[in-house]
Amino acid sequence: MRYFEDLEVGAETDFGVYHVTREEVLEFARKYDPQPFHLSDEAAAKTHFGRIAASGWHTCAMTMAVLARYSVDHEQAGLGSPGIDDLRWLKPVYPGDTLSVHGKIVEKTPSRSKPDIGAVRTETTVTNQDGVPVMRYTSIVLIRRRPEGTPAD
């Protein structure tokens, strides 16, 4: 298990990739963001997108899927998140894109009121298959402190 004490400011991680499909873009848009440029080739062609683009919120959800799989696969002692800062959608995400999620720890702070947890701030950048950043934000993740007597990995 990786605890708060195992994480270092400046450490960088490649969390994984996500392959964007047209079917998923359309399904997400129908349910959660039914704007014409997410649903119709003709409507999207009349915008700066030029073709159907994924919702920014869908990009967030795909990113979360990558992060959650990584956390489970690497036994992180995560406790959820109180939020994110500075979310920016930098470029459109299109069906057929492959998103890569990269993080850099920029700060870690032990909780003053709950000695068994800490907060880690990570600058997260999502790029497409060409290495072009499409989204960036700073996450705040709560993570367990190492229980007394638990050896480091």
Side-chain angles (χ1 to χ4, degrees):
M1 181 73 57
R2 287 180 47 119
Y3 295 97
F4 177 81
E5 291 78 7
D6 301 320
L7 305 175
E8 295 182 24
V9 172
E12 298 187 39
T13 303
D14 289 317
F15 293 104
V17 300
Y18 196 99
H19 303 288
V20 184
T21 68
R22 179 179 173 87
E23 295 76 25
E24 194 174 325
V25 168
L26 293 171
E27 180 183 356
F28 186 95
R30 279 192 292 272
K31 287 179 84 172
Y32 303 110
D33 194 353
Q35 298 183 74
F37 47 83
H38 297 317
L39 294 168
S40 160
D41 291 309
E42 296 77 24
K46 297 175 186 173
T47 70
H48 65 286
F49 295 117
R51 55 192 165 123
I52 286 179
S55 165
W57 297 113
H58 187 196
T59 303
C60 289
M62 292 182 282
T63 299
M64 189 66 224
V66 171
L67 295 170
R69 278 194 299 269
Y70 183 92
S71 181
V72 169
D73 291 347
H74 292 86
E75 297 183 328
Q76 302 290 308
L79 297 169
S81 172
I84 61 173
D85 292 329
D86 304 318
L87 171 63
R88 295 291 180 265
W89 294 299
L90 305 169
K91 295 283 183 186
V93 170
Y94 297 107
D97 282 353
T98 297
L99 304 179
S100 296
V101 182
H102 180 83
K104 180 179 181 180
I105 297 174
V106 294
E107 180 182 347
K108 57 185 267 194
T109 309
S111 173
R112 288 185 294 263
S113 61
K114 298 178 182 174
D116 58 332
I117 67 172
V120 176
R121 295 173 61 85
T122 302
E123 182 180 277
T124 302
T125 303
V126 181
T127 57
N128 65 19
Q129 64 282 351
D130 298 319
V132 175
V134 298
M135 185 173 74
R136 183 173 289 126
Y137 63 90
T138 302
S139 66
I140 306 148
V141 175
L142 302 177
I143 188 162
R144 287 184 197 99
R145 305 284 306 266
R146 181 179 309 287
E148 225 173 281
T150 304
D153 288 341

PDB file of all heavy atoms in Angstrom, residues 18-21 25 37-38 49 51-56 58-60 62-63 89-99 126-129 132-135:
ATOM      1  N   TYR A  18      -6.385   6.342 -22.386  1.00  0.00           N
ATOM      2  CA  TYR A  18      -7.803   6.098 -22.634  1.00  0.00           C
ATOM      3  C   TYR A  18      -8.063   6.306 -24.114  1.00  0.00           C
ATOM      4  O   TYR A  18      -7.695   7.336 -24.670  1.00  0.00           O
ATOM      5  CB  TYR A  18      -8.663   7.061 -21.811  1.00  0.00           C
ATOM      6  CG  TYR A  18     -10.099   6.626 -21.729  1.00  0.00           C
ATOM      7  CD1 TYR A  18     -10.573   5.954 -20.618  1.00  0.00           C
ATOM      8  CD2 TYR A  18     -10.990   6.905 -22.765  1.00  0.00           C
ATOM      9  CE1 TYR A  18     -11.882   5.545 -20.535  1.00  0.00           C
ATOM     10  CE2 TYR A  18     -12.307   6.500 -22.688  1.00  0.00           C
ATOM     11  CZ  TYR A  18     -12.752   5.820 -21.569  1.00  0.00           C
ATOM     12  OH  TYR A  18     -14.053   5.407 -21.493  1.00  0.00           O
ATOM     13  N   HIS A  19      -8.708   5.337 -24.749  1.00  0.00           N
ATOM     14  CA  HIS A  19      -9.039   5.421 -26.169  1.00  0.00           C
ATOM     15  C   HIS A  19     -10.465   5.943 -26.312  1.00  0.00           C
ATOM     16  O   HIS A  19     -11.411   5.331 -25.802  1.00  0.00           O
ATOM     17  CB  HIS A  19      -8.878   4.058 -26.839  1.00  0.00           C
ATOM     18  CG  HIS A  19      -7.493   3.497 -26.665  1.00  0.00           C
ATOM     19  ND1 HIS A  19      -6.399   4.008 -27.329  1.00  0.00           N
ATOM     20  CD2 HIS A  19      -7.026   2.513 -25.880  1.00  0.00           C
ATOM     21  CE1 HIS A  19      -5.321   3.352 -26.960  1.00  0.00           C
ATOM     22  NE2 HIS A  19      -5.676   2.431 -26.075  1.00  0.00           N
ATOM     23  N   VAL A  20     -10.622   7.066 -26.980  1.00  0.00           N
ATOM     24  CA  VAL A  20     -11.909   7.751 -27.112  1.00  0.00           C
ATOM     25  C   VAL A  20     -12.662   7.176 -28.314  1.00  0.00           C
ATOM     26  O   VAL A  20     -12.130   7.175 -29.426  1.00  0.00           O
ATOM     27  CB  VAL A  20     -11.698   9.263 -27.297  1.00  0.00           C
ATOM     28  CG1 VAL A  20     -13.042   9.989 -27.348  1.00  0.00           C
ATOM     29  CG2 VAL A  20     -10.810   9.834 -26.197  1.00  0.00           C
ATOM     30  N   THR A  21     -13.880   6.715 -28.085  1.00  0.00           N
ATOM     31  CA  THR A  21     -14.685   6.179 -29.184  1.00  0.00           C
ATOM     32  C   THR A  21     -15.847   7.115 -29.504  1.00  0.00           C
ATOM     33  O   THR A  21     -16.352   7.835 -28.627  1.00  0.00           O
ATOM     34  CB  THR A  21     -15.255   4.787 -28.850  1.00  0.00           C
ATOM     35  OG1 THR A  21     -16.240   4.929 -27.802  1.00  0.00           O
ATOM     36  CG2 THR A  21     -14.169   3.812 -28.432  1.00  0.00           C
ATOM     37  N   VAL A  25     -18.588   9.027 -26.970  1.00  0.00           N
ATOM     38  CA  VAL A  25     -18.768  10.485 -27.029  1.00  0.00           C
ATOM     39  C   VAL A  25     -20.251  10.812 -27.201  1.00  0.00           C
ATOM     40  O   VAL A  25     -20.801  11.679 -26.508  1.00  0.00           O
ATOM     41  CB  VAL A  25     -17.916  11.100 -28.162  1.00  0.00           C
ATOM     42  CG1 VAL A  25     -18.313  12.548 -28.436  1.00  0.00           C
ATOM     43  CG2 VAL A  25     -16.434  11.011 -27.824  1.00  0.00           C
ATOM     44  N   PHE A  37     -22.916  20.279 -31.069  1.00  0.00           N
ATOM     45  CA  PHE A  37     -21.569  19.957 -31.556  1.00  0.00           C
ATOM     46  C   PHE A  37     -20.987  18.701 -30.910  1.00  0.00           C
ATOM     47  O   PHE A  37     -19.945  18.214 -31.332  1.00  0.00           O
ATOM     48  CB  PHE A  37     -20.599  21.133 -31.408  1.00  0.00           C
ATOM     49  CG  PHE A  37     -20.640  21.814 -30.066  1.00  0.00           C
ATOM     50  CD1 PHE A  37     -19.937  21.319 -28.992  1.00  0.00           C
ATOM     51  CD2 PHE A  37     -21.383  22.967 -29.905  1.00  0.00           C
ATOM     52  CE1 PHE A  37     -19.970  21.931 -27.761  1.00  0.00           C
ATOM     53  CE2 PHE A  37     -21.420  23.607 -28.675  1.00  0.00           C
ATOM     54  CZ  PHE A  37     -20.718  23.092 -27.598  1.00  0.00           C
ATOM     55  N   HIS A  38     -21.676  18.158 -29.900  1.00  0.00           N
ATOM     56  CA  HIS A  38     -21.287  16.870 -29.321  1.00  0.00           C
ATOM     57  C   HIS A  38     -22.102  15.716 -29.918  1.00  0.00           C
ATOM     58  O   HIS A  38     -21.776  14.556 -29.685  1.00  0.00           O
ATOM     59  CB  HIS A  38     -21.486  16.853 -27.808  1.00  0.00           C
ATOM     60  CG  HIS A  38     -20.653  17.821 -27.048  1.00  0.00           C
ATOM     61  ND1 HIS A  38     -19.318  18.040 -27.305  1.00  0.00           N
ATOM     62  CD2 HIS A  38     -20.968  18.645 -26.011  1.00  0.00           C
ATOM     63  CE1 HIS A  38     -18.843  18.948 -26.467  1.00  0.00           C
ATOM     64  NE2 HIS A  38     -19.825  19.328 -25.674  1.00  0.00           N
ATOM     65  N   PHE A  49     -15.007  23.569 -33.714  1.00  0.00           N
ATOM     66  CA  PHE A  49     -14.583  22.181 -33.523  1.00  0.00           C
ATOM     67  C   PHE A  49     -14.373  21.479 -34.862  1.00  0.00           C
ATOM     68  O   PHE A  49     -13.503  20.646 -34.995  1.00  0.00           O
ATOM     69  CB  PHE A  49     -15.605  21.393 -32.694  1.00  0.00           C
ATOM     70  CG  PHE A  49     -15.749  21.878 -31.287  1.00  0.00           C
ATOM     71  CD1 PHE A  49     -16.958  22.384 -30.841  1.00  0.00           C
ATOM     72  CD2 PHE A  49     -14.695  21.824 -30.400  1.00  0.00           C
ATOM     73  CE1 PHE A  49     -17.111  22.830 -29.539  1.00  0.00           C
ATOM     74  CE2 PHE A  49     -14.829  22.257 -29.096  1.00  0.00           C
ATOM     75  CZ  PHE A  49     -16.043  22.778 -28.666  1.00  0.00           C
ATOM     76  N   ARG A  51     -15.801  19.115 -36.231  1.00  0.00           N
ATOM     77  CA  ARG A  51     -16.394  17.775 -36.209  1.00  0.00           C
ATOM     78  C   ARG A  51     -16.810  17.491 -34.773  1.00  0.00           C
ATOM     79  O   ARG A  51     -16.471  18.253 -33.852  1.00  0.00           O
ATOM     80  CB  ARG A  51     -15.417  16.727 -36.721  1.00  0.00           C
ATOM     81  CG  ARG A  51     -14.086  16.707 -35.987  1.00  0.00           C
ATOM     82  CD  ARG A  51     -13.066  15.864 -36.729  1.00  0.00           C
ATOM     83  NE  ARG A  51     -11.734  16.133 -36.241  1.00  0.00           N
ATOM     84  CZ  ARG A  51     -10.909  15.228 -35.752  1.00  0.00           C
ATOM     85  NH1 ARG A  51     -11.273  13.970 -35.688  1.00  0.00           N
ATOM     86  NH2 ARG A  51      -9.710  15.560 -35.331  1.00  0.00           N
ATOM     87  N   ILE A  52     -17.516  16.384 -34.573  1.00  0.00           N
ATOM     88  CA  ILE A  52     -17.992  16.057 -33.226  1.00  0.00           C
ATOM     89  C   ILE A  52     -16.815  16.027 -32.259  1.00  0.00           C
ATOM     90  O   ILE A  52     -15.785  15.406 -32.534  1.00  0.00           O
ATOM     91  CB  ILE A  52     -18.736  14.711 -33.219  1.00  0.00           C
ATOM     92  CG1 ILE A  52     -20.110  14.880 -33.858  1.00  0.00           C
ATOM     93  CG2 ILE A  52     -18.860  14.150 -31.815  1.00  0.00           C
ATOM     94  CD1 ILE A  52     -20.918  13.605 -33.912  1.00  0.00           C
ATOM     95  N   ALA A  53     -16.985  16.705 -31.153  1.00  0.00           N
ATOM     96  CA  ALA A  53     -15.965  16.752 -30.103  1.00  0.00           C
ATOM     97  C   ALA A  53     -16.574  16.235 -28.803  1.00  0.00           C
ATOM     98  O   ALA A  53     -17.767  16.412 -28.548  1.00  0.00           O
ATOM     99  CB  ALA A  53     -15.473  18.179 -29.909  1.00  0.00           C
ATOM    100  N   ALA A  54     -15.739  15.613 -27.999  1.00  0.00           N
ATOM    101  CA  ALA A  54     -16.184  15.143 -26.685  1.00  0.00           C
ATOM    102  C   ALA A  54     -16.454  16.339 -25.776  1.00  0.00           C
ATOM    103  O   ALA A  54     -15.779  17.368 -25.849  1.00  0.00           O
ATOM    104  CB  ALA A  54     -15.118  14.249 -26.057  1.00  0.00           C
ATOM    105  N   SER A  55     -17.426  16.197 -24.917  1.00  0.00           N
ATOM    106  CA  SER A  55     -17.677  17.187 -23.885  1.00  0.00           C
ATOM    107  C   SER A  55     -16.445  17.300 -22.981  1.00  0.00           C
ATOM    108  O   SER A  55     -15.769  16.302 -22.705  1.00  0.00           O
ATOM    109  CB  SER A  55     -18.880  16.733 -23.046  1.00  0.00           C
ATOM    110  OG  SER A  55     -18.981  17.448 -21.835  1.00  0.00           O
ATOM    111  N   GLY A  56     -16.162  18.496 -22.516  1.00  0.00           N
ATOM    112  CA  GLY A  56     -15.080  18.659 -21.544  1.00  0.00           C
ATOM    113  C   GLY A  56     -15.330  17.825 -20.297  1.00  0.00           C
ATOM    114  O   GLY A  56     -14.395  17.274 -19.709  1.00  0.00           O
ATOM    115  N   HIS A  58     -16.866  15.016 -20.253  1.00  0.00           N
ATOM    116  CA  HIS A  58     -16.549  13.638 -20.628  1.00  0.00           C
ATOM    117  C   HIS A  58     -15.036  13.427 -20.548  1.00  0.00           C
ATOM    118  O   HIS A  58     -14.571  12.383 -20.078  1.00  0.00           O
ATOM    119  CB  HIS A  58     -17.079  13.342 -22.033  1.00  0.00           C
ATOM    120  CG  HIS A  58     -16.940  11.918 -22.444  1.00  0.00           C
ATOM    121  ND1 HIS A  58     -17.059  11.521 -23.748  1.00  0.00           N
ATOM    122  CD2 HIS A  58     -16.675  10.787 -21.745  1.00  0.00           C
ATOM    123  CE1 HIS A  58     -16.893  10.216 -23.828  1.00  0.00           C
ATOM    124  NE2 HIS A  58     -16.651   9.742 -22.623  1.00  0.00           N
ATOM    125  N   THR A  59     -14.268  14.421 -20.979  1.00  0.00           N
ATOM    126  CA  THR A  59     -12.808  14.335 -20.865  1.00  0.00           C
ATOM    127  C   THR A  59     -12.412  14.159 -19.400  1.00  0.00           C
ATOM    128  O   THR A  59     -11.536  13.353 -19.081  1.00  0.00           O
ATOM    129  CB  THR A  59     -12.142  15.569 -21.488  1.00  0.00           C
ATOM    130  OG1 THR A  59     -12.553  15.682 -22.859  1.00  0.00           O
ATOM    131  CG2 THR A  59     -10.636  15.489 -21.412  1.00  0.00           C
ATOM    132  N   CYS A  60     -13.078  14.886 -18.511  1.00  0.00           N
ATOM    133  CA  CYS A  60     -12.815  14.712 -17.072  1.00  0.00           C
ATOM    134  C   CYS A  60     -13.153  13.294 -16.628  1.00  0.00           C
ATOM    135  O   CYS A  60     -12.380  12.675 -15.878  1.00  0.00           O
ATOM    136  CB  CYS A  60     -13.647  15.708 -16.262  1.00  0.00           C
ATOM    137  SG  CYS A  60     -13.134  17.429 -16.386  1.00  0.00           S
ATOM    138  N   MET A  62     -13.272  10.523 -18.461  1.00  0.00           N
ATOM    139  CA  MET A  62     -12.311   9.557 -19.005  1.00  0.00           C
ATOM    140  C   MET A  62     -11.004   9.608 -18.221  1.00  0.00           C
ATOM    141  O   MET A  62     -10.390   8.574 -17.933  1.00  0.00           O
ATOM    142  CB  MET A  62     -12.078   9.827 -20.495  1.00  0.00           C
ATOM    143  CG  MET A  62     -13.297   9.527 -21.358  1.00  0.00           C
ATOM    144  SD  MET A  62     -13.043   9.784 -23.132  1.00  0.00           S
ATOM    145  CE  MET A  62     -13.169  11.568 -23.287  1.00  0.00           C
ATOM    146  N   THR A  63     -10.592  10.816 -17.845  1.00  0.00           N
ATOM    147  CA  THR A  63      -9.377  10.986 -17.045  1.00  0.00           C
ATOM    148  C   THR A  63      -9.546  10.307 -15.687  1.00  0.00           C
ATOM    149  O   THR A  63      -8.650   9.606 -15.211  1.00  0.00           O
ATOM    150  CB  THR A  63      -9.050  12.479 -16.883  1.00  0.00           C
ATOM    151  OG1 THR A  63      -8.831  13.045 -18.180  1.00  0.00           O
ATOM    152  CG2 THR A  63      -7.844  12.694 -15.998  1.00  0.00           C
ATOM    153  N   TRP A  89      -9.812  23.320 -20.232  1.00  0.00           N
ATOM    154  CA  TRP A  89      -9.897  22.508 -21.437  1.00  0.00           C
ATOM    155  C   TRP A  89      -9.128  23.267 -22.504  1.00  0.00           C
ATOM    156  O   TRP A  89      -9.525  24.352 -22.926  1.00  0.00           O
ATOM    157  CB  TRP A  89     -11.349  22.280 -21.839  1.00  0.00           C
ATOM    158  CG  TRP A  89     -12.085  21.447 -20.827  1.00  0.00           C
ATOM    159  CD1 TRP A  89     -11.786  20.177 -20.450  1.00  0.00           C
ATOM    160  CD2 TRP A  89     -13.232  21.814 -20.064  1.00  0.00           C
ATOM    161  NE1 TRP A  89     -12.678  19.728 -19.498  1.00  0.00           N
ATOM    162  CE2 TRP A  89     -13.584  20.722 -19.241  1.00  0.00           C
ATOM    163  CE3 TRP A  89     -14.017  22.967 -19.987  1.00  0.00           C
ATOM    164  CZ2 TRP A  89     -14.670  20.735 -18.380  1.00  0.00           C
ATOM    165  CZ3 TRP A  89     -15.098  22.987 -19.123  1.00  0.00           C
ATOM    166  CH2 TRP A  89     -15.411  21.879 -18.328  1.00  0.00           C
ATOM    167  N   LEU A  90      -8.014  22.726 -22.924  1.00  0.00           N
ATOM    168  CA  LEU A  90      -7.074  23.449 -23.771  1.00  0.00           C
ATOM    169  C   LEU A  90      -7.305  23.229 -25.264  1.00  0.00           C
ATOM    170  O   LEU A  90      -7.097  24.139 -26.067  1.00  0.00           O
ATOM    171  CB  LEU A  90      -5.641  23.043 -23.406  1.00  0.00           C
ATOM    172  CG  LEU A  90      -5.291  23.237 -21.928  1.00  0.00           C
ATOM    173  CD1 LEU A  90      -3.967  22.567 -21.606  1.00  0.00           C
ATOM    174  CD2 LEU A  90      -5.260  24.714 -21.580  1.00  0.00           C
ATOM    175  N   LYS A  91      -7.702  22.035 -25.624  1.00  0.00           N
ATOM    176  CA  LYS A  91      -7.943  21.672 -27.027  1.00  0.00           C
ATOM    177  C   LYS A  91      -9.094  20.669 -27.060  1.00  0.00           C
ATOM    178  O   LYS A  91      -9.293  19.915 -26.101  1.00  0.00           O
ATOM    179  CB  LYS A  91      -6.706  21.021 -27.663  1.00  0.00           C
ATOM    180  CG  LYS A  91      -5.506  21.923 -27.780  1.00  0.00           C
ATOM    181  CD  LYS A  91      -5.665  22.895 -28.927  1.00  0.00           C
ATOM    182  CE  LYS A  91      -4.406  23.744 -29.052  1.00  0.00           C
ATOM    183  NZ  LYS A  91      -4.538  24.786 -30.036  1.00  0.00           N
ATOM    184  N   PRO A  92      -9.810  20.619 -28.175  1.00  0.00           N
ATOM    185  CA  PRO A  92     -10.890  19.634 -28.268  1.00  0.00           C
ATOM    186  C   PRO A  92     -10.358  18.198 -28.247  1.00  0.00           C
ATOM    187  O   PRO A  92      -9.231  17.926 -28.673  1.00  0.00           O
ATOM    188  CB  PRO A  92     -11.526  19.924 -29.633  1.00  0.00           C
ATOM    189  CG  PRO A  92     -11.077  21.281 -30.013  1.00  0.00           C
ATOM    190  CD  PRO A  92      -9.744  21.492 -29.344  1.00  0.00           C
ATOM    191  N   VAL A  93     -11.204  17.313 -27.756  1.00  0.00           N
ATOM    192  CA  VAL A  93     -10.942  15.869 -27.779  1.00  0.00           C
ATOM    193  C   VAL A  93     -11.942  15.272 -28.756  1.00  0.00           C
ATOM    194  O   VAL A  93     -13.136  15.552 -28.694  1.00  0.00           O
ATOM    195  CB  VAL A  93     -11.103  15.255 -26.377  1.00  0.00           C
ATOM    196  CG1 VAL A  93     -11.075  13.742 -26.430  1.00  0.00           C
ATOM    197  CG2 VAL A  93     -10.023  15.797 -25.441  1.00  0.00           C
ATOM    198  N   TYR A  94     -11.429  14.456 -29.675  1.00  0.00           N
ATOM    199  CA  TYR A  94     -12.249  13.894 -30.743  1.00  0.00           C
ATOM    200  C   TYR A  94     -12.301  12.367 -30.656  1.00  0.00           C
ATOM    201  O   TYR A  94     -11.355  11.741 -30.155  1.00  0.00           O
ATOM    202  CB  TYR A  94     -11.660  14.270 -32.102  1.00  0.00           C
ATOM    203  CG  TYR A  94     -11.644  15.749 -32.371  1.00  0.00           C
ATOM    204  CD1 TYR A  94     -10.453  16.466 -32.347  1.00  0.00           C
ATOM    205  CD2 TYR A  94     -12.828  16.433 -32.662  1.00  0.00           C
ATOM    206  CE1 TYR A  94     -10.433  17.836 -32.594  1.00  0.00           C
ATOM    207  CE2 TYR A  94     -12.811  17.796 -32.919  1.00  0.00           C
ATOM    208  CZ  TYR A  94     -11.618  18.488 -32.885  1.00  0.00           C
ATOM    209  OH  TYR A  94     -11.607  19.845 -33.127  1.00  0.00           O
ATOM    210  N   PRO A  95     -13.392  11.781 -31.181  1.00  0.00           N
ATOM    211  CA  PRO A  95     -13.404  10.325 -31.308  1.00  0.00           C
ATOM    212  C   PRO A  95     -12.168   9.871 -32.087  1.00  0.00           C
ATOM    213  O   PRO A  95     -11.770  10.507 -33.067  1.00  0.00           O
ATOM    214  CB  PRO A  95     -14.691  10.058 -32.107  1.00  0.00           C
ATOM    215  CG  PRO A  95     -15.579  11.222 -31.772  1.00  0.00           C
ATOM    216  CD  PRO A  95     -14.636  12.393 -31.661  1.00  0.00           C
ATOM    217  N   GLY A  96     -11.562   8.797 -31.617  1.00  0.00           N
ATOM    218  CA  GLY A  96     -10.337   8.288 -32.234  1.00  0.00           C
ATOM    219  C   GLY A  96      -9.081   8.740 -31.518  1.00  0.00           C
ATOM    220  O   GLY A  96      -8.009   8.167 -31.727  1.00  0.00           O
ATOM    221  N   ASP A  97      -9.188   9.771 -30.674  1.00  0.00           N
ATOM    222  CA  ASP A  97      -8.022  10.219 -29.908  1.00  0.00           C
ATOM    223  C   ASP A  97      -7.660   9.179 -28.853  1.00  0.00           C
ATOM    224  O   ASP A  97      -8.510   8.417 -28.382  1.00  0.00           O
ATOM    225  CB  ASP A  97      -8.298  11.547 -29.193  1.00  0.00           C
ATOM    226  CG  ASP A  97      -8.226  12.761 -30.105  1.00  0.00           C
ATOM    227  OD1 ASP A  97      -7.833  12.617 -31.279  1.00  0.00           O
ATOM    228  OD2 ASP A  97      -8.575  13.863 -29.631  1.00  0.00           O
ATOM    229  N   THR A  98      -6.391   9.176 -28.475  1.00  0.00           N
ATOM    230  CA  THR A  98      -5.918   8.401 -27.338  1.00  0.00           C
ATOM    231  C   THR A  98      -5.370   9.396 -26.330  1.00  0.00           C
ATOM    232  O   THR A  98      -4.431  10.138 -26.637  1.00  0.00           O
ATOM    233  CB  THR A  98      -4.828   7.396 -27.751  1.00  0.00           C
ATOM    234  OG1 THR A  98      -5.394   6.467 -28.678  1.00  0.00           O
ATOM    235  CG2 THR A  98      -4.296   6.641 -26.546  1.00  0.00           C
ATOM    236  N   LEU A  99      -5.979   9.426 -25.162  1.00  0.00           N
ATOM    237  CA  LEU A  99      -5.583  10.365 -24.116  1.00  0.00           C
ATOM    238  C   LEU A  99      -4.570   9.703 -23.189  1.00  0.00           C
ATOM    239  O   LEU A  99      -4.717   8.542 -22.821  1.00  0.00           O
ATOM    240  CB  LEU A  99      -6.805  10.799 -23.306  1.00  0.00           C
ATOM    241  CG  LEU A  99      -7.952  11.421 -24.107  1.00  0.00           C
ATOM    242  CD1 LEU A  99      -9.096  11.786 -23.171  1.00  0.00           C
ATOM    243  CD2 LEU A  99      -7.468  12.635 -24.887  1.00  0.00           C
ATOM    244  N   VAL A 126      -3.465  16.170 -19.358  1.00  0.00           N
ATOM    245  CA  VAL A 126      -3.969  15.144 -20.270  1.00  0.00           C
ATOM    246  C   VAL A 126      -3.567  15.566 -21.679  1.00  0.00           C
ATOM    247  O   VAL A 126      -3.823  16.706 -22.086  1.00  0.00           O
ATOM    248  CB  VAL A 126      -5.499  15.004 -20.154  1.00  0.00           C
ATOM    249  CG1 VAL A 126      -6.017  13.926 -21.090  1.00  0.00           C
ATOM    250  CG2 VAL A 126      -5.898  14.711 -18.707  1.00  0.00           C
ATOM    251  N   THR A 127      -2.912  14.655 -22.395  1.00  0.00           N
ATOM    252  CA  THR A 127      -2.484  14.942 -23.763  1.00  0.00           C
ATOM    253  C   THR A 127      -3.141  13.967 -24.729  1.00  0.00           C
ATOM    254  O   THR A 127      -3.556  12.879 -24.339  1.00  0.00           O
ATOM    255  CB  THR A 127      -0.953  14.847 -23.915  1.00  0.00           C
ATOM    256  OG1 THR A 127      -0.533  13.544 -23.512  1.00  0.00           O
ATOM    257  CG2 THR A 127      -0.235  15.888 -23.068  1.00  0.00           C
ATOM    258  N   ASN A 128      -3.200  14.377 -25.999  1.00  0.00           N
ATOM    259  CA  ASN A 128      -3.698  13.458 -27.019  1.00  0.00           C
ATOM    260  C   ASN A 128      -2.542  12.642 -27.587  1.00  0.00           C
ATOM    261  O   ASN A 128      -1.395  12.776 -27.137  1.00  0.00           O
ATOM    262  CB  ASN A 128      -4.498  14.195 -28.098  1.00  0.00           C
ATOM    263  CG  ASN A 128      -3.663  15.162 -28.916  1.00  0.00           C
ATOM    264  OD1 ASN A 128      -2.429  15.088 -28.974  1.00  0.00           O
ATOM    265  ND2 ASN A 128      -4.339  16.098 -29.572  1.00  0.00           N
ATOM    266  N   GLN A 129      -2.808  11.836 -28.582  1.00  0.00           N
ATOM    267  CA  GLN A 129      -1.808  10.939 -29.159  1.00  0.00           C
ATOM    268  C   GLN A 129      -0.649  11.684 -29.820  1.00  0.00           C
ATOM    269  O   GLN A 129       0.425  11.111 -30.028  1.00  0.00           O
ATOM    270  CB  GLN A 129      -2.461   9.988 -30.174  1.00  0.00           C
ATOM    271  CG  GLN A 129      -3.053  10.663 -31.382  1.00  0.00           C
ATOM    272  CD  GLN A 129      -4.412  11.315 -31.126  1.00  0.00           C
ATOM    273  OE1 GLN A 129      -5.017  11.127 -30.066  1.00  0.00           O
ATOM    274  NE2 GLN A 129      -4.896  12.072 -32.099  1.00  0.00           N
ATOM    275  N   VAL A 132      -0.170  16.709 -27.580  1.00  0.00           N
ATOM    276  CA  VAL A 132      -0.743  18.042 -27.399  1.00  0.00           C
ATOM    277  C   VAL A 132      -1.602  18.054 -26.138  1.00  0.00           C
ATOM    278  O   VAL A 132      -2.527  17.232 -26.012  1.00  0.00           O
ATOM    279  CB  VAL A 132      -1.591  18.441 -28.632  1.00  0.00           C
ATOM    280  CG1 VAL A 132      -2.289  19.776 -28.410  1.00  0.00           C
ATOM    281  CG2 VAL A 132      -0.725  18.476 -29.887  1.00  0.00           C
ATOM    282  N   PRO A 133      -1.339  18.975 -25.205  1.00  0.00           N
ATOM    283  CA  PRO A 133      -2.185  19.047 -24.008  1.00  0.00           C
ATOM    284  C   PRO A 133      -3.622  19.429 -24.375  1.00  0.00           C
ATOM    285  O   PRO A 133      -3.849  20.391 -25.106  1.00  0.00           O
ATOM    286  CB  PRO A 133      -1.531  20.145 -23.162  1.00  0.00           C
ATOM    287  CG  PRO A 133      -0.116  20.209 -23.652  1.00  0.00           C
ATOM    288  CD  PRO A 133      -0.200  19.901 -25.117  1.00  0.00           C
ATOM    289  N   VAL A 134      -4.580  18.634 -23.863  1.00  0.00           N
ATOM    290  CA  VAL A 134      -5.989  18.918 -24.113  1.00  0.00           C
ATOM    291  C   VAL A 134      -6.718  19.359 -22.847  1.00  0.00           C
ATOM    292  O   VAL A 134      -7.774  19.998 -22.926  1.00  0.00           O
ATOM    293  CB  VAL A 134      -6.705  17.702 -24.748  1.00  0.00           C
ATOM    294  CG1 VAL A 134      -6.096  17.371 -26.100  1.00  0.00           C
ATOM    295  CG2 VAL A 134      -6.685  16.489 -23.826  1.00  0.00           C
ATOM    296  N   MET A 135      -6.158  19.043 -21.678  1.00  0.00           N
ATOM    297  CA  MET A 135      -6.772  19.442 -20.415  1.00  0.00           C
ATOM    298  C   MET A 135      -5.693  19.499 -19.344  1.00  0.00           C
ATOM    299  O   MET A 135      -4.746  18.722 -19.355  1.00  0.00           O
ATOM    300  CB  MET A 135      -7.863  18.435 -20.002  1.00  0.00           C
ATOM    301  CG  MET A 135      -8.641  18.838 -18.755  1.00  0.00           C
ATOM    302  SD  MET A 135     -10.042  17.738 -18.406  1.00  0.00           S
ATOM    303  CE  MET A 135      -9.195  16.281 -17.786  1.00  0.00           C
TER     304      MET A 135
END
